[in-house]
Amino acid sequence: MRFALIVIGLVLLVGGLWVVFGHGGYQQTDTLVQLGSAKLTATHEKAFPQWAGIAGIVVGAVLALGGIFKKS
């Protein structure tokens, strides 16, 4: 259980840092016009919200430190 807490905590911590420093994002495709089988689409690059990165850092640090200092 300790090892799982440490690993999950570190994954969340690294993911949160990745989002906070501006590298986290996803693509969203919207259909602008559709006429029969032909359609015109646009793809936008969206960034993850800053609060999600900060939450990942905080929760990841708490889980990792909890796993490190947990007495078994």
Side-chain angles (χ1 to χ4, degrees), residues 3 25 33 38 45 49 53 57 59 69:
F3 183 71
V33 176
E45 186 72 28
I57 292 170
V59 172
F69 293 119

Side-chain angles (χ1 to χ4, degrees), residues 2-3 11-12 17 20 25 27 31 33-35 38 41 46-47 53-54 59 61 63 68 71:
R2 274 180 74 190
F3 183 71
V11 167
L12 285 173
L17 289 171
V20 166
Q27 291 184 349
T31 301
V33 176
Q34 183 170 2
L35 184 61
T41 62
K46 302 267 186 162
I54 294 170
V59 172
L63 286 177
I68 290 171
K71 295 181 182 181

